[in-house]
PDB file of all heavy atoms in Angstrom:
ATOM      1  N   ILE L   1     149.935 117.343 141.970  1.00  0.00           N
ATOM      2  CA  ILE L   1     151.092 116.574 141.543  1.00  0.00           C
ATOM      3  C   ILE L   1     152.185 116.667 142.514  1.00  0.00           C
ATOM      4  O   ILE L   1     152.874 115.662 142.821  1.00  0.00           O
ATOM      5  CB  ILE L   1     151.582 117.090 140.108  1.00  0.00           C
ATOM      6  CG1 ILE L   1     150.484 116.842 139.051  1.00  0.00           C
ATOM      7  CG2 ILE L   1     152.947 116.606 139.820  1.00  0.00           C
ATOM      8  CD1 ILE L   1     150.776 117.525 137.680  1.00  0.00           C
ATOM      9  N   GLU L   2     152.445 117.841 143.107  1.00  0.00           N
ATOM     10  CA  GLU L   2     153.524 118.075 144.075  1.00  0.00           C
ATOM     11  C   GLU L   2     153.174 117.261 145.339  1.00  0.00           C
ATOM     12  O   GLU L   2     154.156 116.629 145.934  1.00  0.00           O
ATOM     13  CB  GLU L   2     153.686 119.568 144.364  1.00  0.00           C
ATOM     14  CG  GLU L   2     154.745 119.784 145.363  1.00  0.00           C
ATOM     15  CD  GLU L   2     155.004 121.363 145.602  1.00  0.00           C
ATOM     16  OE1 GLU L   2     154.320 122.183 144.867  1.00  0.00           O
ATOM     17  OE2 GLU L   2     155.739 121.684 146.614  1.00  0.00           O
ATOM     18  N   ARG L   3     152.021 117.353 145.782  1.00  0.00           N
ATOM     19  CA  ARG L   3     151.626 116.620 147.080  1.00  0.00           C
ATOM     20  C   ARG L   3     151.563 115.092 146.944  1.00  0.00           C
ATOM     21  O   ARG L   3     152.062 114.400 147.807  1.00  0.00           O
ATOM     22  CB  ARG L   3     150.356 117.206 147.571  1.00  0.00           C
ATOM     23  CG  ARG L   3     149.773 116.447 148.750  1.00  0.00           C
ATOM     24  CD  ARG L   3     150.610 116.621 150.085  1.00  0.00           C
ATOM     25  NE  ARG L   3     149.966 115.979 151.128  1.00  0.00           N
ATOM     26  CZ  ARG L   3     149.973 114.696 151.408  1.00  0.00           C
ATOM     27  NH1 ARG L   3     150.700 113.880 150.644  1.00  0.00           N
ATOM     28  NH2 ARG L   3     149.321 114.128 152.505  1.00  0.00           N
ATOM     29  N   PHE L   4     151.049 114.556 145.861  1.00  0.00           N
ATOM     30  CA  PHE L   4     150.793 113.180 145.841  1.00  0.00           C
ATOM     31  C   PHE L   4     151.440 112.439 144.568  1.00  0.00           C
ATOM     32  O   PHE L   4     151.206 111.238 144.510  1.00  0.00           O
ATOM     33  CB  PHE L   4     149.188 112.974 145.532  1.00  0.00           C
ATOM     34  CG  PHE L   4     148.354 113.493 146.829  1.00  0.00           C
ATOM     35  CD1 PHE L   4     147.714 114.666 146.693  1.00  0.00           C
ATOM     36  CD2 PHE L   4     148.422 112.696 147.936  1.00  0.00           C
ATOM     37  CE1 PHE L   4     146.927 115.143 147.756  1.00  0.00           C
ATOM     38  CE2 PHE L   4     147.643 113.251 149.004  1.00  0.00           C
ATOM     39  CZ  PHE L   4     146.934 114.425 148.952  1.00  0.00           C
ATOM     40  N   GLY L   5     152.242 113.128 143.938  1.00  0.00           N
ATOM     41  CA  GLY L   5     152.938 112.497 142.751  1.00  0.00           C
ATOM     42  C   GLY L   5     153.761 111.316 143.172  1.00  0.00           C
ATOM     43  O   GLY L   5     153.959 110.348 142.350  1.00  0.00           O
ATOM     44  N   GLY L   6     154.274 111.304 144.310  1.00  0.00           N
ATOM     45  CA  GLY L   6     155.093 110.112 144.872  1.00  0.00           C
ATOM     46  C   GLY L   6     154.251 108.950 145.292  1.00  0.00           C
ATOM     47  O   GLY L   6     154.883 107.882 145.641  1.00  0.00           O
ATOM     48  N   LEU L   7     152.936 109.160 145.493  1.00  0.00           N
ATOM     49  CA  LEU L   7     152.117 108.027 145.984  1.00  0.00           C
ATOM     50  C   LEU L   7     151.138 107.495 144.958  1.00  0.00           C
ATOM     51  O   LEU L   7     150.641 106.405 145.107  1.00  0.00           O
ATOM     52  CB  LEU L   7     151.205 108.686 147.163  1.00  0.00           C
ATOM     53  CG  LEU L   7     151.820 109.423 148.239  1.00  0.00           C
ATOM     54  CD1 LEU L   7     150.934 109.941 149.234  1.00  0.00           C
ATOM     55  CD2 LEU L   7     152.775 108.554 148.878  1.00  0.00           C
ATOM     56  N   ALA L   8     150.891 108.227 143.815  1.00  0.00           N
ATOM     57  CA  ALA L   8     150.036 107.737 142.899  1.00  0.00           C
ATOM     58  C   ALA L   8     150.310 108.340 141.498  1.00  0.00           C
ATOM     59  O   ALA L   8     150.925 109.438 141.392  1.00  0.00           O
ATOM     60  CB  ALA L   8     148.582 108.260 143.234  1.00  0.00           C
ATOM     61  N   GLY L   9     149.903 107.667 140.426  1.00  0.00           N
ATOM     62  CA  GLY L   9     150.004 108.394 139.120  1.00  0.00           C
ATOM     63  C   GLY L   9     148.983 109.469 139.047  1.00  0.00           C
ATOM     64  O   GLY L   9     147.911 109.451 139.632  1.00  0.00           O
ATOM     65  N   ILE L  10     149.306 110.499 138.280  1.00  0.00           N
ATOM     66  CA  ILE L  10     148.334 111.721 138.252  1.00  0.00           C
ATOM     67  C   ILE L  10     148.007 111.836 136.765  1.00  0.00           C
ATOM     68  O   ILE L  10     148.811 111.910 135.901  1.00  0.00           O
ATOM     69  CB  ILE L  10     149.114 112.966 138.737  1.00  0.00           C
ATOM     70  CG1 ILE L  10     149.700 112.743 140.069  1.00  0.00           C
ATOM     71  CG2 ILE L  10     148.081 114.054 138.728  1.00  0.00           C
ATOM     72  CD1 ILE L  10     148.844 112.611 141.205  1.00  0.00           C
ATOM     73  N   ASP L  11     146.665 111.891 136.571  1.00  0.00           N
ATOM     74  CA  ASP L  11     146.090 112.183 135.211  1.00  0.00           C
ATOM     75  C   ASP L  11     145.306 113.414 135.280  1.00  0.00           C
ATOM     76  O   ASP L  11     144.515 113.635 136.147  1.00  0.00           O
ATOM     77  CB  ASP L  11     145.158 110.999 134.775  1.00  0.00           C
ATOM     78  CG  ASP L  11     146.038 109.636 134.554  1.00  0.00           C
ATOM     79  OD1 ASP L  11     147.081 109.754 134.070  1.00  0.00           O
ATOM     80  OD2 ASP L  11     145.529 108.613 135.049  1.00  0.00           O
ATOM     81  N   THR L  12     145.467 114.211 134.230  1.00  0.00           N
ATOM     82  CA  THR L  12     144.595 115.281 134.021  1.00  0.00           C
ATOM     83  C   THR L  12     143.438 114.881 133.043  1.00  0.00           C
ATOM     84  O   THR L  12     143.659 114.391 131.938  1.00  0.00           O
ATOM     85  CB  THR L  12     145.232 116.570 133.442  1.00  0.00           C
ATOM     86  OG1 THR L  12     146.308 116.950 134.313  1.00  0.00           O
ATOM     87  CG2 THR L  12     144.311 117.798 133.191  1.00  0.00           C
ATOM     88  N   VAL L  13     142.141 114.990 133.577  1.00  0.00           N
ATOM     89  CA  VAL L  13     141.071 114.481 132.799  1.00  0.00           C
ATOM     90  C   VAL L  13     140.100 115.636 132.488  1.00  0.00           C
ATOM     91  O   VAL L  13     139.898 116.521 133.278  1.00  0.00           O
ATOM     92  CB  VAL L  13     140.318 113.413 133.512  1.00  0.00           C
ATOM     93  CG1 VAL L  13     141.147 112.175 133.780  1.00  0.00           C
ATOM     94  CG2 VAL L  13     139.772 113.841 134.841  1.00  0.00           C
ATOM     95  N   TYR L  14     139.548 115.708 131.172  1.00  0.00           N
ATOM     96  CA  TYR L  14     138.711 116.697 130.817  1.00  0.00           C
ATOM     97  C   TYR L  14     137.262 116.266 131.349  1.00  0.00           C
ATOM     98  O   TYR L  14     136.828 115.269 130.952  1.00  0.00           O
ATOM     99  CB  TYR L  14     138.618 116.849 129.351  1.00  0.00           C
ATOM    100  CG  TYR L  14     137.658 117.884 128.842  1.00  0.00           C
ATOM    101  CD1 TYR L  14     137.789 119.209 129.095  1.00  0.00           C
ATOM    102  CD2 TYR L  14     136.420 117.437 128.312  1.00  0.00           C
ATOM    103  CE1 TYR L  14     136.774 120.103 128.709  1.00  0.00           C
ATOM    104  CE2 TYR L  14     135.404 118.343 127.920  1.00  0.00           C
ATOM    105  CZ  TYR L  14     135.632 119.640 128.189  1.00  0.00           C
ATOM    106  OH  TYR L  14     134.643 120.529 127.719  1.00  0.00           O
ATOM    107  N   SER L  15     136.698 117.146 132.125  1.00  0.00           N
ATOM    108  CA  SER L  15     135.281 116.933 132.593  1.00  0.00           C
ATOM    109  C   SER L  15     134.323 117.631 131.729  1.00  0.00           C
ATOM    110  O   SER L  15     134.241 118.925 131.738  1.00  0.00           O
ATOM    111  CB  SER L  15     135.225 117.365 134.063  1.00  0.00           C
ATOM    112  OG  SER L  15     133.935 117.213 134.580  1.00  0.00           O
ATOM    113  N   GLY L  16     133.488 116.881 130.994  1.00  0.00           N
ATOM    114  CA  GLY L  16     132.533 117.528 130.084  1.00  0.00           C
ATOM    115  C   GLY L  16     131.245 117.854 130.753  1.00  0.00           C
ATOM    116  O   GLY L  16     131.091 117.742 131.919  1.00  0.00           O
ATOM    117  N   SER L  17     130.355 118.288 129.946  1.00  0.00           N
ATOM    118  CA  SER L  17     129.106 118.809 130.477  1.00  0.00           C
ATOM    119  C   SER L  17     128.012 117.722 130.684  1.00  0.00           C
ATOM    120  O   SER L  17     126.924 117.964 131.114  1.00  0.00           O
ATOM    121  CB  SER L  17     128.457 119.797 129.439  1.00  0.00           C
ATOM    122  OG  SER L  17     128.026 119.107 128.233  1.00  0.00           O
ATOM    123  N   ARG L  18     128.370 116.374 130.495  1.00  0.00           N
ATOM    124  CA  ARG L  18     127.547 115.331 130.612  1.00  0.00           C
ATOM    125  C   ARG L  18     126.228 115.423 129.759  1.00  0.00           C
ATOM    126  O   ARG L  18     125.121 115.497 130.271  1.00  0.00           O
ATOM    127  CB  ARG L  18     127.177 115.088 132.057  1.00  0.00           C
ATOM    128  CG  ARG L  18     128.293 115.031 133.067  1.00  0.00           C
ATOM    129  CD  ARG L  18     129.342 113.942 132.702  1.00  0.00           C
ATOM    130  NE  ARG L  18     130.475 113.984 133.657  1.00  0.00           N
ATOM    131  CZ  ARG L  18     131.497 113.176 133.531  1.00  0.00           C
ATOM    132  NH1 ARG L  18     131.617 112.369 132.476  1.00  0.00           N
ATOM    133  NH2 ARG L  18     132.503 113.225 134.422  1.00  0.00           N
ATOM    134  N   GLY L  19     126.404 115.751 128.482  1.00  0.00           N
ATOM    135  CA  GLY L  19     125.335 115.907 127.577  1.00  0.00           C
ATOM    136  C   GLY L  19     124.531 117.117 127.910  1.00  0.00           C
ATOM    137  O   GLY L  19     123.366 117.139 127.629  1.00  0.00           O
ATOM    138  N   GLY L  20     125.147 118.174 128.381  1.00  0.00           N
ATOM    139  CA  GLY L  20     124.569 119.438 128.600  1.00  0.00           C
ATOM    140  C   GLY L  20     124.048 119.615 129.859  1.00  0.00           C
ATOM    141  O   GLY L  20     123.440 120.659 130.225  1.00  0.00           O
ATOM    142  N   LEU L  21     124.126 118.650 130.900  1.00  0.00           N
ATOM    143  CA  LEU L  21     123.629 118.798 132.234  1.00  0.00           C
ATOM    144  C   LEU L  21     124.487 119.732 133.095  1.00  0.00           C
ATOM    145  O   LEU L  21     123.992 120.373 134.063  1.00  0.00           O
ATOM    146  CB  LEU L  21     123.519 117.463 132.936  1.00  0.00           C
ATOM    147  CG  LEU L  21     122.449 116.490 132.383  1.00  0.00           C
ATOM    148  CD1 LEU L  21     122.553 115.181 133.150  1.00  0.00           C
ATOM    149  CD2 LEU L  21     121.123 117.142 132.458  1.00  0.00           C
ATOM    150  N   VAL L  22     125.760 119.968 132.860  1.00  0.00           N
ATOM    151  CA  VAL L  22     126.610 120.643 133.784  1.00  0.00           C
ATOM    152  C   VAL L  22     127.264 121.790 132.847  1.00  0.00           C
ATOM    153  O   VAL L  22     127.690 121.548 131.714  1.00  0.00           O
ATOM    154  CB  VAL L  22     127.769 119.823 134.342  1.00  0.00           C
ATOM    155  CG1 VAL L  22     128.647 120.606 135.163  1.00  0.00           C
ATOM    156  CG2 VAL L  22     127.080 118.719 135.082  1.00  0.00           C
ATOM    157  N   ASN L  23     127.349 122.935 133.437  1.00  0.00           N
ATOM    158  CA  ASN L  23     127.889 124.106 132.798  1.00  0.00           C
ATOM    159  C   ASN L  23     129.449 124.097 132.881  1.00  0.00           C
ATOM    160  O   ASN L  23     129.914 124.567 133.982  1.00  0.00           O
ATOM    161  CB  ASN L  23     127.366 125.426 133.184  1.00  0.00           C
ATOM    162  CG  ASN L  23     127.961 126.612 132.514  1.00  0.00           C
ATOM    163  OD1 ASN L  23     128.376 126.608 131.449  1.00  0.00           O
ATOM    164  ND2 ASN L  23     127.867 127.723 133.162  1.00  0.00           N
ATOM    165  N   VAL L  24     130.097 123.675 131.874  1.00  0.00           N
ATOM    166  CA  VAL L  24     131.594 123.602 131.942  1.00  0.00           C
ATOM    167  C   VAL L  24     132.127 124.307 130.608  1.00  0.00           C
ATOM    168  O   VAL L  24     131.490 124.367 129.604  1.00  0.00           O
ATOM    169  CB  VAL L  24     132.224 122.261 131.962  1.00  0.00           C
ATOM    170  CG1 VAL L  24     131.833 121.569 133.240  1.00  0.00           C
ATOM    171  CG2 VAL L  24     131.857 121.385 130.795  1.00  0.00           C
ATOM    172  N   ARG L  25     133.299 124.821 130.578  1.00  0.00           N
ATOM    173  CA  ARG L  25     133.879 125.405 129.486  1.00  0.00           C
ATOM    174  C   ARG L  25     134.469 124.355 128.599  1.00  0.00           C
ATOM    175  O   ARG L  25     135.188 123.493 128.973  1.00  0.00           O
ATOM    176  CB  ARG L  25     135.071 126.420 129.845  1.00  0.00           C
ATOM    177  CG  ARG L  25     135.730 127.081 128.710  1.00  0.00           C
ATOM    178  CD  ARG L  25     136.788 128.035 129.162  1.00  0.00           C
ATOM    179  NE  ARG L  25     137.823 127.451 129.905  1.00  0.00           N
ATOM    180  CZ  ARG L  25     138.150 127.692 131.225  1.00  0.00           C
ATOM    181  NH1 ARG L  25     137.542 128.596 131.871  1.00  0.00           N
ATOM    182  NH2 ARG L  25     139.235 126.989 131.786  1.00  0.00           N
ATOM    183  N   MET L  26     134.093 124.379 127.302  1.00  0.00           N
ATOM    184  CA  MET L  26     134.498 123.516 126.358  1.00  0.00           C
ATOM    185  C   MET L  26     135.914 123.695 126.006  1.00  0.00           C
ATOM    186  O   MET L  26     136.440 124.738 125.861  1.00  0.00           O
ATOM    187  CB  MET L  26     133.711 123.581 125.008  1.00  0.00           C
ATOM    188  CG  MET L  26     132.205 123.130 125.128  1.00  0.00           C
ATOM    189  SD  MET L  26     131.407 123.205 123.546  1.00  0.00           S
ATOM    190  CE  MET L  26     129.713 122.753 124.010  1.00  0.00           C
ATOM    191  N   SER L  27     136.656 122.481 125.911  1.00  0.00           N
ATOM    192  CA  SER L  27     138.069 122.482 125.417  1.00  0.00           C
ATOM    193  C   SER L  27     138.158 122.861 124.006  1.00  0.00           C
ATOM    194  O   SER L  27     137.366 122.425 123.169  1.00  0.00           O
ATOM    195  CB  SER L  27     138.751 121.133 125.707  1.00  0.00           C
ATOM    196  OG  SER L  27     140.042 121.076 125.189  1.00  0.00           O
ATOM    197  N   GLU L  28     139.079 123.671 123.549  1.00  0.00           N
ATOM    198  CA  GLU L  28     139.116 124.083 122.239  1.00  0.00           C
ATOM    199  C   GLU L  28     139.432 122.966 121.256  1.00  0.00           C
ATOM    200  O   GLU L  28     138.880 123.051 120.094  1.00  0.00           O
ATOM    201  CB  GLU L  28     140.363 125.182 122.063  1.00  0.00           C
ATOM    202  CG  GLU L  28     139.916 126.491 122.782  1.00  0.00           C
ATOM    203  CD  GLU L  28     141.133 127.418 122.538  1.00  0.00           C
ATOM    204  OE1 GLU L  28     142.084 127.128 121.944  1.00  0.00           O
ATOM    205  OE2 GLU L  28     140.985 128.614 123.191  1.00  0.00           O
ATOM    206  N   ASN L  29     140.037 121.954 121.672  1.00  0.00           N
ATOM    207  CA  ASN L  29     140.319 120.803 120.757  1.00  0.00           C
ATOM    208  C   ASN L  29     139.099 119.835 120.718  1.00  0.00           C
ATOM    209  O   ASN L  29     139.284 118.894 119.960  1.00  0.00           O
ATOM    210  CB  ASN L  29     141.590 120.149 121.104  1.00  0.00           C
ATOM    211  CG  ASN L  29     141.582 119.392 122.490  1.00  0.00           C
ATOM    212  OD1 ASN L  29     140.719 119.632 123.124  1.00  0.00           O
ATOM    213  ND2 ASN L  29     142.467 118.356 122.618  1.00  0.00           N
ATOM    214  N   ILE L  30     138.116 120.029 121.496  1.00  0.00           N
ATOM    215  CA  ILE L  30     136.948 119.131 121.516  1.00  0.00           C
ATOM    216  C   ILE L  30     135.851 119.858 120.786  1.00  0.00           C
ATOM    217  O   ILE L  30     135.024 119.224 119.989  1.00  0.00           O
ATOM    218  CB  ILE L  30     136.657 118.612 122.905  1.00  0.00           C
ATOM    219  CG1 ILE L  30     137.736 117.834 123.329  1.00  0.00           C
ATOM    220  CG2 ILE L  30     135.302 117.977 122.884  1.00  0.00           C
ATOM    221  CD1 ILE L  30     137.507 117.319 124.860  1.00  0.00           C
ATOM    222  N   GLU L  31     135.656 121.094 121.009  1.00  0.00           N
ATOM    223  CA  GLU L  31     134.469 121.868 120.454  1.00  0.00           C
ATOM    224  C   GLU L  31     134.480 121.798 118.951  1.00  0.00           C
ATOM    225  O   GLU L  31     135.525 122.019 118.318  1.00  0.00           O
ATOM    226  CB  GLU L  31     134.436 123.274 120.822  1.00  0.00           C
ATOM    227  CG  GLU L  31     133.185 123.983 120.502  1.00  0.00           C
ATOM    228  CD  GLU L  31     133.140 125.325 121.254  1.00  0.00           C
ATOM    229  OE1 GLU L  31     134.128 125.741 121.880  1.00  0.00           O
ATOM    230  OE2 GLU L  31     132.088 126.074 121.069  1.00  0.00           O
ATOM    231  N   LYS L  32     133.362 121.401 118.245  1.00  0.00           N
ATOM    232  CA  LYS L  32     133.295 121.332 116.827  1.00  0.00           C
ATOM    233  C   LYS L  32     132.115 122.181 116.233  1.00  0.00           C
ATOM    234  O   LYS L  32     131.219 122.500 117.017  1.00  0.00           O
ATOM    235  CB  LYS L  32     132.956 119.876 116.407  1.00  0.00           C
ATOM    236  CG  LYS L  32     133.951 118.824 117.066  1.00  0.00           C
ATOM    237  CD  LYS L  32     135.326 119.013 116.502  1.00  0.00           C
ATOM    238  CE  LYS L  32     136.298 117.915 117.092  1.00  0.00           C
ATOM    239  NZ  LYS L  32     137.700 118.086 116.650  1.00  0.00           N
ATOM    240  N   GLU L  33     132.264 122.522 114.957  1.00  0.00           N
ATOM    241  CA  GLU L  33     131.139 123.163 114.400  1.00  0.00           C
ATOM    242  C   GLU L  33     130.038 122.149 114.066  1.00  0.00           C
ATOM    243  O   GLU L  33     130.383 120.999 113.612  1.00  0.00           O
ATOM    244  CB  GLU L  33     131.667 123.714 112.989  1.00  0.00           C
ATOM    245  CG  GLU L  33     132.598 124.927 113.177  1.00  0.00           C
ATOM    246  CD  GLU L  33     131.973 126.095 113.867  1.00  0.00           C
ATOM    247  OE1 GLU L  33     130.727 126.281 113.594  1.00  0.00           O
ATOM    248  OE2 GLU L  33     132.543 126.789 114.652  1.00  0.00           O
ATOM    249  N   PRO L  34     128.797 122.468 114.200  1.00  0.00           N
ATOM    250  CA  PRO L  34     127.738 121.520 114.023  1.00  0.00           C
ATOM    251  C   PRO L  34     127.638 121.047 112.607  1.00  0.00           C
ATOM    252  O   PRO L  34     127.885 121.717 111.623  1.00  0.00           O
ATOM    253  CB  PRO L  34     126.457 122.222 114.389  1.00  0.00           C
ATOM    254  CG  PRO L  34     126.908 123.393 115.443  1.00  0.00           C
ATOM    255  CD  PRO L  34     128.376 123.810 114.877  1.00  0.00           C
ATOM    256  N   GLY L  35     127.215 119.767 112.345  1.00  0.00           N
ATOM    257  CA  GLY L  35     127.083 119.214 111.097  1.00  0.00           C
ATOM    258  C   GLY L  35     126.681 117.767 111.362  1.00  0.00           C
ATOM    259  O   GLY L  35     126.364 117.496 112.464  1.00  0.00           O
ATOM    260  N   PRO L  36     126.631 116.897 110.267  1.00  0.00           N
ATOM    261  CA  PRO L  36     126.251 115.529 110.520  1.00  0.00           C
ATOM    262  C   PRO L  36     127.135 114.914 111.517  1.00  0.00           C
ATOM    263  O   PRO L  36     128.449 115.084 111.390  1.00  0.00           O
ATOM    264  CB  PRO L  36     126.328 114.888 109.064  1.00  0.00           C
ATOM    265  CG  PRO L  36     126.210 116.085 108.171  1.00  0.00           C
ATOM    266  CD  PRO L  36     126.790 117.224 108.939  1.00  0.00           C
ATOM    267  N   LEU L  37     126.717 114.073 112.391  1.00  0.00           N
ATOM    268  CA  LEU L  37     127.566 113.341 113.374  1.00  0.00           C
ATOM    269  C   LEU L  37     128.272 112.201 112.528  1.00  0.00           C
ATOM    270  O   LEU L  37     127.704 111.533 111.752  1.00  0.00           O
ATOM    271  CB  LEU L  37     126.686 112.700 114.480  1.00  0.00           C
ATOM    272  CG  LEU L  37     126.125 113.613 115.437  1.00  0.00           C
ATOM    273  CD1 LEU L  37     125.070 112.905 116.300  1.00  0.00           C
ATOM    274  CD2 LEU L  37     127.136 114.172 116.406  1.00  0.00           C
ATOM    275  N   VAL L  38     129.628 112.069 112.890  1.00  0.00           N
ATOM    276  CA  VAL L  38     130.420 110.968 112.250  1.00  0.00           C
ATOM    277  C   VAL L  38     131.243 110.286 113.294  1.00  0.00           C
ATOM    278  O   VAL L  38     132.046 109.485 112.818  1.00  0.00           O
ATOM    279  CB  VAL L  38     131.333 111.670 111.113  1.00  0.00           C
ATOM    280  CG1 VAL L  38     130.515 112.153 110.028  1.00  0.00           C
ATOM    281  CG2 VAL L  38     132.132 112.679 111.765  1.00  0.00           C
ATOM    282  N   GLY L  39     130.981 110.451 114.605  1.00  0.00           N
ATOM    283  CA  GLY L  39     131.757 109.666 115.539  1.00  0.00           C
ATOM    284  C   GLY L  39     131.837 110.263 116.931  1.00  0.00           C
ATOM    285  O   GLY L  39     131.169 111.392 117.204  1.00  0.00           O
ATOM    286  N   CYS L  40     132.683 109.747 117.755  1.00  0.00           N
ATOM    287  CA  CYS L  40     132.828 110.094 119.156  1.00  0.00           C
ATOM    288  C   CYS L  40     134.361 110.193 119.352  1.00  0.00           C
ATOM    289  O   CYS L  40     135.036 109.255 119.082  1.00  0.00           O
ATOM    290  CB  CYS L  40     132.155 109.164 120.057  1.00  0.00           C
ATOM    291  SG  CYS L  40     132.618 109.392 121.836  1.00  0.00           S
TER     292      CYS L  40
END
């Protein structure tokens, strides 16, 4: 942000595991208790 904030908009994006292919830490507000799927 400090280096490039004057040249471009800066977004923080959550990078997921790509359906379990990549080992990333889950965000607390995304991780859910298993149950019937009801959406994305």
Side-chain angles (χ1 to χ4, degrees):
I1 293 170
E2 181 178 351
R3 171 66 176 83
F4 296 105
L7 306 180
I10 311 290
D11 296 317
T12 299
V13 297
Y14 176 74
S15 179
S17 69
R18 312 301 183 182
L21 288 182
V22 180
N23 180 23
V24 298
R25 181 176 61 236
M26 292 185 181
S27 173
E28 291 180 0
N29 67 339
I30 292 177
E31 189 174 5
K32 308 292 182 182
E33 289 296 325
L37 289 169
V38 293
C40 170

